[in-house]
Amino acid sequence: MRHKVKGRTLGRNASHRHAMFRNMAASFIRTVRPGEDDPNKPKVEGRIITTVAKAKELRPYIEKLVTAARKAAIHERAAAEFATAAKRNSNEWKTWRESEQYQKWNQTIAPAVNLRRKAFALLRDKLAVEILFDELAKRFETRDGGYTRIVKIATRRLGDSGHQALIEFVGVHDRVKQRRARTAPVAAPAPEAAPAAEAPAAPAAE
């Protein structure tokens, strides 16, 4: 029994598992911006199909990367106040580089640079890191978690008849439930009041 052991082994050792999820995560992120001449261009952008077990293990891997990209975007926006639009190695840029404004920019942008380096250490793919921090961070700027969804597929995988599922980023292929308009209930007719019983006549006085 595997008590207190988190995650699925998937029939692989640790190094093989890490390499597999690194490749899957990079491929998944690259589907957001597929190349025109890419022979492996996905049919649907932002979606891959894999087994159910792999999709469930890949999801937290991707969610943490997107969260890191959202945190980096906050620091990048704060550092834009101290940045310069001058061309690199120009006289204006060299003057800015020696100013106090550069020191403030450097201190503000440092956490974002650190997060990009950590993401690259996990993905080992420059294009995937660029898409993650430039596009996905903006897409999920106001969303706190839940950036992906897993949908099981009825058809089995050929060869080993494995259970398949698709994992995709939310916000593009969302299915909106259409609610039927509720009609106002018809009021039931009020019951008719029963006729009041006639009081007995008083006896006539003699």
Side-chain angles (χ1 to χ4, degrees), residues 8-27 48 50-51 53-55 57-58 61 122:
R8 299 169 175 83
T9 59
L10 301 173
R12 296 165 173 83
N13 57 26
S15 60
H16 189 178
R17 212 163 38 245
H18 294 327
M20 180 186 67
F21 285 127
R22 176 187 298 125
N23 293 333
M24 290 181 66
S27 300
I48 62 172
T50 181
T51 61
K54 288 180 183 177
E57 289 297 314
L58 179 64
Y61 197 96
L122 291 175

Side-chain angles (χ1 to χ4, degrees), residues 128-145:
V129 173
E130 179 183 343
I131 296 171
L132 177 66
F133 283 81
D134 295 346
E135 296 186 22
L136 294 178
K138 293 179 181 178
R139 182 190 297 185
F140 301 116
E141 181 179 1
T142 58
R143 188 182 184 94
D144 296 330

Side-chain angles (χ1 to χ4, degrees), residues 149-188:
R149 74 165 65 88
I150 297 174
V151 181
K152 294 182 180 180
I153 301 175
T155 57
R156 298 291 190 94
R157 185 170 64 177
L158 295 176
D160 61 354
S161 189
H163 293 277
Q164 293 188 113
L166 62 87
I167 179 171
E168 62 182 359
F169 289 106
V170 301
V172 178
H173 308 289
D174 295 347
R175 291 175 293 276
V176 181
K177 292 183 178 179
Q178 296 181 353
R179 296 184 177 179
R180 296 181 180 177
R182 294 184 178 180
T183 57
V186 179

